[in-house]
Structures are given as C-alpha cells and as structure tokens.
Amino acid sequence: MIGCYVTGTLPRPKELVEVTRAYDRKKICEDTLEKAFQEATIKVVNAQTSAGLSYITDGMLKWQDLLRPFTENLQGIEVGGLARWFNNNTFYRKPIVLNEIRRTKNVIPTMFTKFLPKELPWKAILPAPYTFAKLADNRFYKNLREVMFAYSEALNEEIESLTAIGFKYIQLSEPALVYNPQKETISKDVFADVHEALRTALKGVEAKTSLQTFFGDFSQLLPEALDFPVDDLGIDLYETSLEKLKDCKFDKGIALGLVDARNSSIEDENELVQVAEKMIDAIYPSKSYDIFVCPNCDLEYLPWERAEEKLKVISSVARRLKDKWK
C-alpha cells in the first residue's frame, strides 16, 4: 500500500484563532468557543478527506501541546512551567512527576470523533515513551527509565481505549530520541529500554502502529530501530540523509517525511516524487510493506491555508507513486 497522512497537530483555521482571542478577552462565552472548535474540526477533517488522505485525524485543535492531555489527566503528574519545544519558537508545559503515574480516566479528548468519517480509518497521535520521560521533570522515580515504563503502562491503557472506539492507526511521536544537537552516541542500554517501553505501550494492540521521528537524524537509530515493535517507522527527510540510510534494508512500513512542515514554501511535486523513488529503490526494493507520504512533523507551524495546500501535495505525490508501482 502507498498512502499518505498527517503526523501531528494541524493549525487552527483563522476563524478559530479569532474566536479564541475573543474568548481570552472575555468577549464571547464558552458555548461560542466550543461551537468554533467544532466547526474548525469539521473543516480540517473535510480537508483531509477531500485531499484523499489514507488515515484521518481530528486535527488535535484543542491540544495545547503534544504532552498536555497526559500531563493534565494522568494521576501523579502536575502541570509545570513553560519549556521550549526543541529548536522551535513554541513551548509546552513540562510534566512534573510527583507520584506514581496512573491512568484513572480517559486521557485523550474524544468528543470530536463524531466528526471523523465513518468510511475511512482514523489515526491517533500520541507522545512516545522516551519523549514523554525525557521532557518530564521527574521528582518521584529513581531515573528516566522508571518514568518511561510507568508512562508506558498508562499509555497502553489509553491506546486500548482509543482502539476500542474505532482508531485503526496509532502513531507514537518520538522527537526526543533523534533530537541530538551534540551528536552524542545513543547507548545500547537506551535502545534496549526504548524497545521494551514500546513493547509495553503496544502490548495487545491490534491497530497498526508507527514510531514517528522528527527534528533529528533517523539514521542514528540504525540498525536498532529496525527491530522496534512497530509496523511503520517515520523519518524526517529534512534532517536525515539518504546516504546514511541506503545500507539498511527495511522490513517494516516506512513514513517518508517529504513535506517540510516548518517552511511555508510549497514543494515541487516532481522533486518530491524523485526523492521518494530514489529512497524507496535504495532501502525498500521489495516494496512489500506500506509506504506513507507525510509532512516531516506537525503542520501547526504554518497558517491553515498553507497547511491545506501541503495536504494536497502529499496526496498527489502518494497518488503518483501508487500509479507508478500499481
């Protein structure tokens, strides 16, 4: 299968941005704000459907940051201060771990699943264990490893809940594992812990799963990542060189982060197709597993109108690749 999907939060359409600002100035009521979120969710869902994406998300428009639903809703964690989100000019609230991490209620807001199409599969995007533990302020467990495994247990319960209501694809977002500006070698112990944490988080999960990396070079995870217990591996192609990948043969699905979500310029489709063909021929000659075309990270860094254009680009590139290899 050659398909396409988004890999993170979508930007809020202009109408929703204006309403949220009015709400912050106390000029509108909560009901009006909620209605605006609903209308915006319908808009971003329809945009994905119209573009022909293979899996559909609700856009995550209410998410303040990737970690926030877990930071706010897991027992044992308190919402901390603002911290910079990797090398972006955006911020997240740091989870402060003060006690045993436990899931006592649903974490992910699912009130907008009613706007997802019945005829297309749904995708959920969640923070991966290593990223959550790495970005948390741990004041309870002995070390990062213990945080990671405690979070993985809670994550597994949440994934089971999401698949029970119809989600068919679970993406775990893992920027912290590849964001490595000091070029430090990742130890075998870290790889082993990440592997086991993923196994814990995905135990018994019947949906398709992926580990999506971004903001860093995927090749530093090779060859260990090829054994991670997920169906697909996601690569940020604006941070990863094909030359460093071509010696490895993938026996998993692959999600190619071909579209730059941190640049408003619209990519040349012909160039993207050429890059994709070159990469697939090099690392994936059998083409026996799924190939997805996607943005390299969240599209929320762009205005909605530009993000919508990029949705059409990833869909068109996927369609051209499909036509070539059908």
Side-chain angles (χ1 to χ4, degrees), residues 70 74 101-103 107 149-159:
F70 291 88
L74 287 180
I101 295 175
R102 294 178 57 211
R103 177 183 177 276
V107 171
F149 279 90
Y151 169 74
S152 297
E153 296 281 357
L155 180 60
N156 178 254
E157 294 177 20
E158 185 64 19
I159 292 172

Side-chain angles (χ1 to χ4, degrees), residues 243-257:
E243 292 301 311
K244 295 179 179 178
L245 297 176
K246 64 183 183 182
D247 291 335
C248 289
K249 303 303 180 192
F250 283 62
D251 59 355
K252 296 180 180 296
I254 189 169
L256 302 173

Side-chain angles (χ1 to χ4, degrees), residues 63 69-70 73-74 103-110 124 126 151-165 167 170 201 205:
W63 292 42
F70 291 88
N73 294 315
L74 287 180
R103 177 183 177 276
T104 57
K105 60 182 180 181
N106 290 337
V107 171
I108 303 301
T110 56
L126 311 171
Y151 169 74
S152 297
E153 296 281 357
L155 180 60
N156 178 254
E157 294 177 20
E158 185 64 19
I159 292 172
E160 287 183 352
S161 175
L162 291 171
T163 55
I165 63 172
F167 283 87
I170 304 295
V205 173

Side-chain angles (χ1 to χ4, degrees), residues 121-138:
W122 306 346
K123 179 183 180 184
I125 298 170
L126 311 171
Y130 183 82
T131 286
F132 187 89
K134 185 74 174 177
L135 300 184
D137 177 0
N138 173 33

